[in-house]
């Protein structure tokens, strides 16, 4: 059970956990070095009945960009704070580079954090902020100066050494926080929703930046977010956390294409969830008249949900299609159009089609259209 | 936007209170300090001189009528500054750790501790000073405890000494040091402390490099709140110093009281006020530079 969550269920053998890292890791001698590992962590905050974390185990490869994704209050920040040493787990253990750090105070852990609030020291200049870690660790002055110079260049803040934090923009403060956390060469960098305070454009820019930095430095990044776009666009692997439990671990495409629960399917991207019953073999019944074939039936349950992404739904071909549906609404979205449909059994279905395609340009509310749900696009999920 | 006239009407009550209760007495004080006083001690209203200010620094020779330098009052001023400075330093040394401790307490016990700290101040100052006299006196609890531990111990002879005066000043002022520091520590984002320890600073280093500079405004405010009343206080030094060690507060009180020299008392008060305004100016400069510490 624990092994299953660590490695991620149904992980295909050609994806060794960390795709982006495979090449770099192979260069080193330890191909499967562990960056940071949470082993069976439980944590219940005093006064609360529900545990914040219930038996959470995660293994992050060295040099991996790993994202913990989940709605607010799911325990993802607590997981980071336990690794950093700001909170203590009730049971379980945190390992960095294979050795337990549970008894070390935060200032002795080879882990640094980029805080959601950035927590930049307002009384220190940019250079003093970035040099704070090395200074506390007793580096020599020239070494600190060189490291500060190097990092400010890395985060593209050259020349801002003597600037005070109050005179920096949000994006610049973010970069200072990043440079400061990286300065003393931590083995693991924890990032607690670092992009949430930035505006949309800056956020997508910083995503690329972060990924570039991580590839350049090869440091293990553990990134916490509630934003699925951030998770999918940057991560080697993603863990989806829900109410203190791990729902699924896998690469971004695994999580998106092969969600293992209704929660994951619904939380990441848009999805259609259709109630269905298994009628034997690979046949599932949506309603009295509509029978669907799926590529991977589920043996553990008869009453199930079929999940299909809106962009995988094919409209048109009224004569040949298996299903027929009536258009209830269409929503124009620029490049594409969302067609909302009602199936004969009463269930709703959404289809995303090219705005320029035949279905996208011609279907109007009230129209009847054929609907095809490709077998391999349907995920059968337990209720 | 409020018109100027309306704003004036709205502010009128405050301005009136300030004018009657603050500026008028201060103006009277400065006025009196310049009033001429005849040798018998009677004030000659309407005649002015700066003799009182001169009197602070010089002494008029009875026979020749010439002024000679006189360091008596300067010594008293000097002593006041030393007592005030010592009191400020001691209350800071005690108050900062105390404020740090209180700020780190969980909310509920924090409120209890704050209440306990303010509780003595609900008691009359005289009563509290007599309690200190009882503790410090020969054969009091301190002496008794020490002579129990050290046979042949003769007693500290603490009471009616400068040490006793400073102890009293510290006791009655320490809360004014703790409170502003506590408030400014409370305002520091918890993330700052976590970031510091995350980056490799132990507790001491976090205090020195993060908490101390970030609470500088509270520390400066606390120092002023302690230092200023020390210069003007007179009951404590009178009772605990046994009247042997006069400081500025006693001196001024004496001019208005038994010595009946109002102009000198007013002149001393004016000098004291000028000194205080000077410390305020220093605070402004420190606060303006505070960010760049």
């Amino acid at each position: 059970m624990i092994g299953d969550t660590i490695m991620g269920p149904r992980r295909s053998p050609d994806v060794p956990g960390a795709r982006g890292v495979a090449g770099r890791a192979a260069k080193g001698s330890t191909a499967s070095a562990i960056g940071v590992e949470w082993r069976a962590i439980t944590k219940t905050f005093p006064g609360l009945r529900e545990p914040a974390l219930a038996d959470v185990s995660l293994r992050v490869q060295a040099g991996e960009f790993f994202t913990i994704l989940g709605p607010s209050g799911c325990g993802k920040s607590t997981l980071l704070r336990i690794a950093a040493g700001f909170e203590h787990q009730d049971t379980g253990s945190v390992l960095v580079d294979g050795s337990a750090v549970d008894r070390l105070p935060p200032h002795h852990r080879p882990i640094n954090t980029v805080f959601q609030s950035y927590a930049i020291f307002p009384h220190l200049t940019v250079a003093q902020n970035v040099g704070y870690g090395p200074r506390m660790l007793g580096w020599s002055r020239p070494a600190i100066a060189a490291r500060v110079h190097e990092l400010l260049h890395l985060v593209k803040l050259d020349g801002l050494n003597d600037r005070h934090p109050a005179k920096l923009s949000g994006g610049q403060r973010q970069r200072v926080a990043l440079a400061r956390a990286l300065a003393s060469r931590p083995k693991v960098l924890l990032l607690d929703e670092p992009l949430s305070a930035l505006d949309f454009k800056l956020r997508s820019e910083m995503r690329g930046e972060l990924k570039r930095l991580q590839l350049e430095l090869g440091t293990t990044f553990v990134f916490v977010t509630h934003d699925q776009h951030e998770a999918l666009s940057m991560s080697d692997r993603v863990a989806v956390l829900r109410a203190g439990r791990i729902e699924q671990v896998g690469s971004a495409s695994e999580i998106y294409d092969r969600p293992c629960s209704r929660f994951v399917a619904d939380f990441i991207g848009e999805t259609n969830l259709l109630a269905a019953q298994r009628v034997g073999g690979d046949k599932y019944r949506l309603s009295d008249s509509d029978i669907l074939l799926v590529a991977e039936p589920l043996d553990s349950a008869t009453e199930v949900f079929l999940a299909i992404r809106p962009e995988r739904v094919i409209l048109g071909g009224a004569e040949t299609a298996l299903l027929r549906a009536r258009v209830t609404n269409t929503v124009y979205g620029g490049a594409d159009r969302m067609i909302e449909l009602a199936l004969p059994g009463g269930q709703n279905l959404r289809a995303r089609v090219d705005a320029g395609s035949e279905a996208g340009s011609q279907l109007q509310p009230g129209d009847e259209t054929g609907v095809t749900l490709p077998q391999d696009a349907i995920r059968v999920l337990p209720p | 936007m409020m018109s100027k006239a309306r704003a004036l009407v709205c502010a009128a009550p405050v301005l009136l209170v300030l004018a009657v209760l603050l500026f008028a007495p201060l103006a009277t004080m400065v006025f009196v300090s310049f009033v001429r006083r005849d040798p018998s001690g009677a004030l000659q209203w309407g005649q002015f001189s700066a003799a009182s200010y001169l009197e602070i620094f010089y002494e008029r020779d009875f026979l020749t009528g010439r002024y000679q330098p006189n360091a008596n009052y300067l010594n008293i001023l000097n002593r006041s500054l030393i007592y005030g400075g010592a009191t400020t330093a001691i209350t800071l040394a005690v108050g900062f750790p105390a404020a740090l401790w209180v700020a780190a307490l969980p909310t509920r016990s924090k409120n209890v501790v704050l209440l306990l700290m303010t509780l003595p101040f609900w008691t009359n100052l005289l009563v509290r000073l007599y309690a200190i006299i009882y503790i410090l006196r020969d054969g009091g609890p301190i002496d008794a405890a020490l002579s129990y531990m050290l046979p042949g111990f003769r007693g500290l002879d603490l009471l009616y000494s400068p040490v006793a005066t400073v102890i009293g000043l510290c006791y009655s002022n320490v809360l004014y040091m703790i409170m502003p520091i506590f408030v400014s520590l409370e305002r520091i984002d918890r993330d700052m402390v976590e970031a510091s320890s995350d980056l490799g600073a132990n507790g001491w280093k976090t205090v020195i490099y993060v908490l101390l500079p970030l609470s500088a405004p509270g520390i400066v405010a606390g120092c002023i709140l302690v230092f200023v009343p020390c210069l003007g206080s007179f009951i404590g030094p009178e009772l605990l110093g046994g009247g042997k060690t006069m400081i500025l507060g006693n001196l001024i009180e004496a001019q208005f009281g038994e010595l009946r020299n109002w102009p000198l008392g007013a002149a001393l008060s004016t000098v004291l006020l000028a000194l205080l305004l000077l410390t305020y100016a220093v605070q402004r400069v420190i606060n303006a530079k505070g960010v760049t510490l």
Side-chain angles (χ1 to χ4, degrees):
Chain A
M1 172 62 211
I2 289 170
D4 199 39
T5 41
I6 290 170
M7 305 313 286
R10 286 183 282 274
R11 195 159 58 79
S12 45
D14 59 327
V15 182
R19 285 171 307 164
V21 122
R24 204 171 39 248
K27 267 182 255 157
S29 54
T30 50
S32 62
I34 307 297
V36 57
E37 179 177 353
W38 286 267
R39 208 177 263 177
I41 300 285
T42 53
K43 170 80 182 173
T44 306
F45 285 106
L48 296 180
R49 197 178 296 166
E50 291 297 310
L53 295 169
D55 193 24
V56 171
S57 291
L58 280 173
R59 190 179 285 170
V60 178
Q61 310 292 325
E64 191 175 13
F65 197 124
F66 191 91
T67 298
I68 301 171
L69 174 66
S72 54
C74 72
K76 54 193 191 302
S77 290
T78 308
L79 213 49
L80 284 200
R81 293 177 58 78
I82 285 174
F86 304 140
E87 301 278 359
H88 283 280
Q89 65 271 31
D90 299 336
T91 61
S93 186
V94 177
L95 294 90
V96 176
D97 244 8
S99 49
V101 295
D102 305 303
R103 284 161 182 273
L104 298 178
H107 61 273
H108 282 150
R109 298 192 184 194
I111 298 177
N112 283 355
T113 306
V114 177
F115 291 81
Q116 186 171 10
S117 65
Y118 309 153
I120 294 172
F121 303 125
H123 59 298
L124 301 178
T125 63
V126 167
Q128 288 168 332
N129 264 286
V130 175
Y132 191 87
R135 189 169 156 217
M136 291 304 123
L137 299 180
W139 291 24
S140 71
R141 267 170 193 278
I144 296 173
R147 185 66 177 154
V148 167
H149 182 80
E150 185 186 349
L151 274 160
L152 287 184
H153 180 68
L154 199 65
V155 298
K156 298 176 180 166
L157 288 178
D158 307 74
L160 290 188
N161 298 47
D162 299 326
R163 190 76 65 89
H164 274 280
K167 290 184 178 144
L168 296 176
S169 71
Q172 287 171 327
R173 295 162 74 92
Q174 222 276 314
R175 286 157 192 268
V176 172
L178 200 57
R180 186 181 68 176
L182 286 167
S184 49
R185 298 203 175 86
K187 287 181 176 151
V188 179
L189 187 73
L190 307 176
L191 302 105
D192 189 2
E193 308 222 14
L195 306 182
S196 60
L198 302 178
D199 65 47
F200 179 76
K201 193 150 178 289
L202 215 51
R203 203 156 57 214
S204 52
E205 197 182 303
M206 278 308 292
R207 273 185 224 158
E209 280 287 285
L210 273 178
K211 185 69 195 167
R212 173 186 69 84
L213 264 177
Q214 193 265 336
L215 285 173
E216 224 165 285
L217 297 168
T219 308
T220 310
F221 274 37
V222 180
F223 187 93
V224 153
T225 183
H226 64 266
D227 183 329
Q228 41 158 321
H229 296 294
E230 284 175 10
L232 297 182
S233 61
M234 293 187 292
S235 323
D236 297 316
R237 282 192 305 152
V238 178
V240 181
L241 202 62
R242 175 200 188 187
R245 289 183 171 77
I246 303 234
E247 286 275 311
Q248 188 170 1
V249 183
S251 71
S253 61
E254 279 178 307
I255 297 276
Y256 188 80
D257 292 332
R258 305 172 61 79
C260 69
S261 71
R262 281 173 65 191
F263 175 81
V264 175
D266 204 30
F267 187 69
I268 295 161
E270 277 182 279
T271 206
N272 291 296
L273 285 171
L274 303 169
Q277 293 105 33
R278 190 176 189 186
V279 289
D282 51 2
K283 293 193 185 66
Y284 282 87
R285 185 170 62 205
L286 276 184
S287 64
D288 289 340
S289 55
D290 299 323
I291 303 287
L292 282 177
L293 293 177
V294 304
E296 286 177 78
L298 187 73
D299 286 329
S300 63
T302 339
E303 298 285 333
V304 297
F305 282 91
L306 305 182
I308 183 164
R309 301 286 180 191
E311 67 270 19
R312 301 294 301 271
V313 176
I314 300 167
L315 300 184
E319 293 74 30
T320 55
L322 220 54
L323 298 174
R324 298 184 60 76
R326 195 166 43 78
V327 177
T328 55
N329 195 15
T330 73
V331 180
Y332 180 63
D336 50 32
R337 190 180 281 274
M338 188 67 91
I339 313 281
E340 293 170 12
L341 304 142
L343 291 168
Q347 302 205 62
N348 293 321
L349 185 71
R350 287 147 69 86
R352 191 194 304 277
V353 295
D354 256 355
S357 69
E358 195 180 322
S361 59
Q362 289 179 0
L363 283 178
Q364 296 297 325
D367 290 352
E368 286 258 323
T369 178
V371 176
T372 304
L373 307 180
Q375 278 187 37
D376 63 335
I378 299 175
R379 283 288 291 171
V380 183
L381 301 176
Chain B
M1 275 307 241
M2 210 187 272
S3 77
K4 250 187 179 170
R6 249 177 111 171
L8 205 63
V9 171
C10 288
V14 179
L15 293 177
L16 202 70
V17 167
L18 280 179
V20 172
L21 297 181
L22 187 67
F23 293 117
L26 283 181
T28 312
M29 180 182 89
V30 176
F31 176 79
V32 169
S33 74
F34 284 104
V35 170
R36 187 186 289 275
R37 176 171 172 273
D38 70 21
S40 71
L43 295 184
Q44 295 169 332
W45 299 100
Q47 293 185 47
F48 301 101
S49 85
S52 298
Y53 289 92
L54 221 53
E55 214 177 320
I56 297 177
F57 305 100
Y58 297 95
E59 180 178 36
R60 191 167 190 175
D61 194 300
F62 269 126
L63 302 173
T64 60
R66 283 229 210 96
Y67 282 100
Q68 291 172 338
N70 173 4
N72 283 350
Y73 294 144
L74 287 181
N75 285 342
I76 290 175
L77 178 67
N78 196 22
R79 188 186 297 142
S80 308
L81 292 177
I82 289 171
Y83 283 17
T87 305
T88 308
I90 293 167
T91 50
L92 178 60
V94 174
F96 187 84
L100 201 58
W101 173 67
V102 179
L105 287 173
T107 315
R108 190 181 287 181
S109 27
K110 192 183 300 185
N111 291 336
V112 173
V113 169
L114 285 176
L115 182 72
L116 288 175
M117 280 177 148
T118 43
L119 211 55
F121 288 76
W122 298 2
T123 317
N124 185 289
L125 177 64
L126 276 174
V127 176
R128 284 184 283 140
L129 286 174
Y130 277 110
I132 289 195
I133 289 176
Y134 172 78
I135 293 170
L136 296 182
R137 78 191 155 100
D138 290 344
I142 292 183
D143 273 5
L146 283 173
S147 56
Y148 179 78
M149 285 185 287
L150 309 163
F153 178 78
R154 300 218 155 209
L156 284 172
D157 205 10
L158 266 179
L159 194 58
Y160 307 134
S161 71
V163 175
T165 308
V166 172
I167 288 176
L169 286 173
C170 287
Y171 167 69
S172 48
N173 285 302
V174 69
L175 198 65
Y176 302 115
M177 181 63 85
I178 295 176
M179 281 305 167
I181 297 178
F182 165 72
V183 169
S184 65
L185 284 173
E186 277 268 287
R187 274 198 211 130
I188 297 174
D189 200 339
R190 208 191 148 70
D191 283 357
M192 295 293 162
V193 178
E194 288 188 349
S196 173
S197 78
D198 189 57
L199 291 165
N202 59 24
W204 286 109
K205 285 179 174 173
T206 298
V207 168
I208 292 166
Y209 294 112
V210 176
L211 292 177
L212 215 50
L214 285 182
S215 61
I219 292 172
V220 173
C223 287
I224 288 181
L225 282 180
V226 170
F227 184 69
V228 169
C230 276
L231 294 187
S233 66
F234 60 93
I235 300 177
E238 184 83 33
L239 291 178
L240 295 171
K244 289 186 293 185
T245 51
M246 190 171 255
I247 67 172
L248 212 50
N250 309 79
L251 182 64
I252 294 170
E253 189 251 355
Q255 302 309 320
F256 285 100
E258 59 245 50
L259 297 179
R260 287 175 49 78
N261 192 347
W262 284 23
L264 181 58
L268 286 166
S269 302
T270 307
V271 169
L272 179 59
L273 180 68
L275 273 176
L276 302 187
L277 288 176
L278 197 71
T279 60
Y280 177 69
V282 170
Q283 180 198 22
R284 290 286 299 264
V285 172
I286 290 177
N287 273 359
K289 284 195 175 172
V291 193
T292 63
L293 271 180

